[in-house]
Amino acid sequence: AWTEREKRLIGDFIGHQGIAPKYSLQTHMHFDHCLGLGFINMEYGLTPLCHPADMPVYKSAPDMVRQWFGTDISSTIPQVATDISEATVLHLGDVDIHVLHTPGHTPGGVCYHIPSARILFTGDTLFRGSVGRTDLPGGDSRQELDSIREKILVLPADTIVMPGHGPESTVREEMESNPYLT
């Protein structure tokens, strides 16, 4: 769950920018990527979207948080919609967001590609100089590397990679220097 300060910062940013949120897009459903969904759902009325293959991961999030941190979050996580897949294209004004199903970190992991801006949001599939962990339930290292090679490294080399943690990169930079991909 987010602190009151974090909620205020997000609300202030959205308000100052004059943004009307339309989607709550999840790259995957590990607890560190979905703890704020209750706030987003209540504050903005958005139903989080995820790939159906990640529902078991989402359903296990409260147990994992309870096990690791001794905290019960089961009352704070909202229902999610599982209506995104490889073929999904979301429209945000004149911007199209293409969903790339990239299993490996989780079974239903996805990346969001915005071709017009040459940006790819990779969640925990690909990081600058690294890849996502695959030792948690549902992870598959071979599948993750296949997803990266077949879905991400085929994008234009100047595509900006925006991971779920850490600094940004480019497809070119990862092709040339990521030790997991060379």
Side-chain angles (χ1 to χ4, degrees):
W2 289 349
T3 66
E4 290 305 314
R5 180 178 179 277
E6 291 166 330
K7 291 176 186 178
R8 191 175 56 254
L9 286 170
I10 294 207
D12 288 351
F13 176 80
I14 288 171
H16 288 3
Q17 297 296 318
I19 297 170
K22 184 173 179 180
Y23 300 113
S24 176
L25 305 177
Q26 308 316 120
T27 57
H28 67 290
M29 299 306 285
H30 279 151
F31 68 85
D32 62 321
H33 289 260
C34 65
L35 284 178
L37 295 182
F39 164 71
I40 296 296
N41 177 258
M42 288 179 58
E43 190 73 17
Y44 301 103
L46 300 176
T47 300
L49 303 177
C50 82
H51 191 282
D54 250 26
M55 279 309 293
V57 176
Y58 187 58
K59 288 179 180 177
S60 71
D63 290 336
M64 191 172 268
V65 169
R66 187 174 18 265
Q67 199 174 59
W68 289 12
F69 303 106
T71 302
D72 184 8
I73 64 161
S74 56
S75 65
T76 65
I77 61 171
Q79 293 292 101
V80 299
T82 56
D83 53 357
I84 60 171
S85 66
E86 181 74 25
T88 304
V89 178
L90 302 164
H91 307 287
L92 194 58
D94 60 354
V95 174
D96 288 339
I97 303 168
H98 297 256
V99 177
L100 306 177
H101 182 215
T102 54
H105 178 64
T106 63
V110 299
C111 294
Y112 295 101
H113 182 220
I114 305 172
S116 63
R118 293 200 190 250
I119 293 176
L120 178 71
F121 293 93
T122 60
D124 288 1
T125 297
L126 179 65
F127 301 113
R128 182 181 199 158
S130 190
V131 296
R133 64 187 293 179
T134 56
D135 61 327
L136 296 174
D140 183 321
S141 58
R142 182 183 191 93
Q143 194 175 42
E144 181 172 58
L145 292 174
D146 287 346
S147 290
I148 292 168
R149 289 185 178 111
E150 295 168 12
K151 306 278 179 77
I152 297 175
L153 298 184
V154 297
L155 297 174
D158 62 345
T159 300
I160 299 167
V161 173
M162 301 292 292
H165 306 276
E168 66 185 54
S169 183
T170 64
V171 168
R172 176 182 292 110
E173 196 174 327
E174 297 314 306
M175 286 174 35
E176 292 175 353
S177 64
N178 189 315
Y180 294 91
L181 306 176
T182 54

